[in-house]
Amino acid sequence: MHLCYFFFFFFTDGLTLENKITTIEKVERSSWREIINDELKEKEIGDCKRVLFEAIGGRTEYLYEYKCDTWEDVIWTHLNSRTEDLIDIPEGLAKDNSGIILTEQVRKLATSKDLIMDKDDPRILFHHFQAAILSNSAQDIIKHVCQALVHQESDNTLNPHIHISHDTNYRELILRFVSTLILYGCRFLGWQENVYTAAILSAYGELNADPTVIRPLVIATIASERTPEYHIPFYSHFLQNFDGDDDECAILIQLGKEHNLQMPDILQYTHAQLFKKAVAKANIKMVDVIKTGRPVLELSGEYDRNEHGLFFRALDWLMLDEGQCVHAFQAANMTIRYFLGACKVYLAKRVLDSFSKPLFQRIHSETTRNKSVVKIVQEYKANVKLVDAFLDFERWEKWKQNKPEEGNTPRELVKFFEWRNEAEKLAIKISNDMTVVLEGHWPGEDVNETALITKAALRRTYIPEAIIRYHRLLSETKETMPRYEEKCKKLNFYITNKYQGLLEDIKGAKRTAEVIQELSKSLTCV
């Protein structure tokens, strides 16, 4: 093996040898050839002497037929002949830029010598690789190894017939060797990555990502040797399937940075892929109120880690890196829209609750440096107001049902006024949140559309519901809170004067009659 590589680099360099042989006189070489020819013409020449002169003369025919018993014998004989030819015609190699040292004929002859070996002998595969390198066809052999090793194709369907043992340990060692060779070839021999090298390296990455023997350093090292086109999905795939806690995930992010990986792109790619997987896995459908009528909002429900976990895992990868703060809020807005589109308000609330105070501090510092971030933050805050308004309204209705008797005793009076104060606080918060939602053109006038649910569809689902519930709150609290009578009039004014497109949202949802019926209950207020 070392001899083959010696000749390979010896020949591909070429110039050093050429400079040396220019000092050799052609007459001397010619005389040397004549001596060898004369010796080989002797009838009584012995076997050992003939082999010697055939070899030093660079001849191959006799040696191929009678003396080459192994793959190594054939390769040595061929390279020895090439060396002698180069000495005679030094410019020959310089004119040949193909990099091919081993011809197909010699390659087949050498391979035929391996038939005497057991088919599971690892030397056979190494012979294939060495021959491929010497014939400048390494990419082809990698393709065939990929088909045999990764795609489990039968060796009978491959050309050359490459057999790889089914022994697990053997295949893992071969995978390690081929992966290392690919990285070496890409770095030093000018090889280009393709679908086959990517498949092999991905398989090796999977091997090192196995939780029982996880080797993050190996994965990061492999990724660092690849171009961004390949290392971004490679390292991201590892992150997507990693099931550690936040501290462990943060270590992997730092590891990627230390290996100069494109971590911002990797984390964004990771989120995008996990979100796609989450959507495909979850049994969640978007609600179309045009078809279904009044939506059933799920304000409470059970979080199913198996069904919903990927959505939050996708967000976690962005939230763990300070540099991805803006993208984390963008992703949160997209996820919230998705959950709201399916009327799963409780899951949208879970997304909102997952953001910590340091994240808010970082995003607000970003808004001072980048004005385009402002609309992202505004949409997030608008989502907070909407979700809180609906959840608090449910709390308010339950609180109202538990109204205690005013009574005459001090204890009863204290209990009643405590209840009323809490009810008024809740009503004020709901009123403020609903005002922001209705007057702020939720989820925002300049927000971008998403593929899964449009802004118009969201507004058709939530704006009519918000108006109905807000009006009910105002109607039922105006007696104890007189200022709400004015708000009640304002709400009617919004609808009749097409304020902020509210009437279009109601008509789009085909709930005009329902909203008018609700508003008519307080016509005496107008």
Side-chain angles (χ1 to χ4, degrees):
M1 176 175 176
H2 295 295
L3 182 62
C4 294
Y5 280 113
F6 168 77
F7 276 109
F8 174 63
F9 292 110
F10 188 66
F11 278 123
T12 52
D13 190 19
L15 293 177
T16 303
L17 181 58
E18 184 180 354
N19 291 334
K20 289 181 179 179
I21 61 178
T22 55
T23 61
I24 302 175
E25 297 292 338
K26 292 184 178 180
V27 176
E28 293 176 349
R29 286 294 299 173
S30 178
S31 299
W32 169 250
R33 288 291 188 187
E34 290 180 6
I35 293 173
I36 292 175
N37 289 336
D38 290 342
E39 289 292 335
L40 290 174
K41 288 178 181 178
E42 291 185 9
K43 294 183 178 179
E44 301 299 327
I45 186 173
D47 185 61
C48 292
K49 185 177 180 180
R50 179 165 186 175
V51 170
L52 174 64
F53 277 95
E54 291 276 0
I56 63 178
R59 296 167 178 261
T60 60
E61 184 177 351
Y62 175 81
L63 296 178
Y64 282 159
E65 186 171 357
Y66 297 107
K67 298 301 176 181
C68 292
D69 297 326
T70 66
W71 184 92
E72 288 80 6
D73 291 341
V74 174
I75 298 299
W76 186 91
T77 300
H78 173 72
L79 295 180
N80 175 67
S81 175
R82 286 292 303 270
T83 304
E84 292 297 321
D85 290 343
L86 181 61
I87 294 175
D88 284 337
I89 313 174
E91 66 275 12
L93 184 65
K95 293 179 181 178
D96 183 6
N97 296 320
S98 66
I100 297 176
I101 295 176
L102 196 65
T103 64
E104 184 62 23
Q105 181 181 3
V106 176
R107 181 176 177 172
K108 288 182 178 179
L109 177 63
T111 302
S112 68
K113 303 300 179 179
D114 284 340
L115 295 176
I116 62 174
M117 301 167 65
D118 184 86
K119 69 175 184 177
D120 286 335
D121 194 313
R123 288 176 295 176
I124 297 176
L125 183 61
F126 283 105
H127 289 164
H128 281 305
F129 269 105
Q130 292 176 77
I133 292 173
L134 291 171
S135 59
N136 199 27
S137 59
Q139 300 283 42
D140 292 334
I141 197 70
I142 287 174
K143 172 184 175 181
H144 298 313
V145 168
C146 175
Q147 292 169 328
L149 189 62
V150 179
H151 302 312
Q152 307 285 333
E153 292 188 21
S154 169
D155 55 303
N156 294 325
T157 64
L158 304 176
N159 186 21
H161 297 319
I162 296 176
H163 173 77
I164 298 179
S165 171
H166 293 290
D167 180 75
T168 302
N169 292 332
Y170 177 90
R171 295 178 77 87
E172 289 180 359
L173 289 173
I174 293 299
L175 189 58
R176 178 182 179 183
F177 164 74
V178 178
S179 299
T180 306
L181 180 63
I182 289 171
L183 296 176
Y184 180 88
C186 290
R187 183 167 184 176
F188 297 107
L189 304 180
W191 295 358
Q192 298 296 319
E193 281 212 53
N194 53 43
V195 293
Y196 301 107
T197 59
I200 290 173
L201 291 174
S202 294
Y204 189 53
E206 291 279 1
L207 180 64
N208 286 281
D210 188 324
T212 60
V213 292
I214 189 167
R215 304 182 186 93
L217 186 59
V218 173
I219 296 172
T221 303
I222 294 174
S224 68
E225 293 293 332
R226 307 179 73 184
T227 61
E229 176 188 359
Y230 289 100
H231 91 231
I232 290 173
F234 177 79
Y235 199 68
S236 171
H237 183 72
F238 169 53
L239 299 185
Q240 290 172 46
N241 293 284
F242 182 72
D243 191 26
D245 58 31
D246 287 351
D247 290 337
E248 292 170 330
C249 291
I251 290 173
L252 296 184
I253 294 173
Q254 182 60 33
L255 183 64
K257 292 179 179 179
E258 291 174 358
H259 282 75
N260 297 318
L261 303 184
Q262 301 289 330
M263 286 312 298
D265 293 333
I266 289 172
L267 292 175
Q268 291 165 36
Y269 184 86
T270 301
H271 169 267
Q273 295 303 308
L274 284 176
F275 186 83
K276 288 179 182 177
K277 292 178 182 177
V279 171
K281 183 179 182 181
N283 185 26
I284 296 177
K285 295 181 180 179
M286 297 297 101
V287 174
D288 185 353
V289 293
I290 298 177
K291 298 178 180 178
T292 63
R294 184 174 183 175
V296 178
L297 302 183
E298 297 182 45
L299 302 176
S300 60
E302 185 175 348
Y303 167 72
D304 186 343
R305 189 174 186 274
N306 184 53
E307 184 175 0
H308 309 134
L310 283 180
F311 289 103
F312 296 92
R313 198 59 177 161
L315 281 173
D316 285 342
W317 282 113
L318 294 176
M319 290 192 291
L320 286 169
D321 186 57
E322 290 185 6
Q324 296 304 303
C325 180
V326 174
H327 293 284
F329 275 87
Q330 281 182 313
N333 287 337
M334 181 177 70
T335 307
I336 290 168
R337 283 201 213 179
Y338 177 77
F339 287 143
L340 291 179
C343 293
K344 296 188 179 296
V345 181
Y346 72 96
L347 289 177
K349 176 62 174 175
R350 188 180 180 90
V351 173
L352 296 169
D353 290 342
S354 64
F355 279 70
S356 62
K357 183 177 290 186
L359 276 173
F360 286 107
Q361 293 171 344
R362 285 200 292 270
I363 196 66
H364 283 299
S365 66
E366 287 290 337
T367 58
T368 60
R369 294 194 296 266
N370 187 352
K371 296 303 180 184
S372 63
V373 178
V374 173
K375 69 176 185 180
I376 297 172
V377 178
Q378 287 176 340
E379 180 182 355
Y380 182 88
K381 289 182 176 179
N383 287 329
V384 172
K385 297 295 184 182
L386 177 91
V387 171
D388 283 354
F390 279 95
L391 293 176
D392 287 341
F393 182 83
E394 184 183 44
R395 284 178 55 208
W396 175 79
E397 284 195 315
K398 291 179 179 178
W399 191 261
K400 185 181 61 174
Q401 292 172 2
N402 295 323
K403 179 181 178 180
E405 294 293 334
E406 188 169 350
N408 296 315
T409 67
R411 178 173 293 182
E412 289 174 335
L413 288 172
V414 168
K415 185 176 181 181
F416 173 78
F417 282 109
E418 286 179 347
W419 173 88
R420 191 176 71 175
N421 289 339
E422 188 63 30
E424 288 180 355
K425 288 179 183 179
L426 203 52
I428 292 171
K429 183 177 183 302
I430 296 169
S431 176
N432 292 339
D433 290 344
M434 285 292 191
T435 300
V436 172
V437 171
L438 297 176
E439 296 183 1
H441 209 278
W442 173 84
E445 292 185 88
D446 300 326
V447 299
N448 299 322
E449 293 285 1
T450 58
L452 295 173
I453 184 73
T454 65
K455 187 172 76 170
L458 282 173
R459 287 182 63 85
R460 286 195 299 267
T461 301
Y462 287 93
I463 293 303
E465 278 296 314
I467 291 172
I468 291 173
R469 298 183 189 212
Y470 187 29
H471 183 267
R472 190 179 304 162
L473 172 79
L474 297 175
S475 298
E476 296 185 20
T477 56
K478 60 182 173 50
E479 290 185 4
T480 57
M481 304 175 72
R483 63 184 180 276
Y484 278 10
E485 185 172 343
E486 187 63 30
K487 287 180 177 287
C488 195
K489 294 178 182 180
K490 192 175 182 180
L491 188 57
N492 281 277
F493 175 81
Y494 284 167
I495 306 305
T496 55
N497 288 271
K498 303 181 180 180
Y499 181 81
Q500 292 284 46
L502 297 178
L503 184 58
E504 286 73 12
D505 297 321
I506 296 169
K507 289 180 177 179
K510 298 182 178 181
R511 299 184 65 184
T512 307
E514 187 180 352
V515 173
I516 291 176
Q517 182 181 3
E518 174 62 34
L519 296 179
S520 65
K521 296 176 182 179
S522 62
L523 286 179
T524 55
C525 298
V526 181

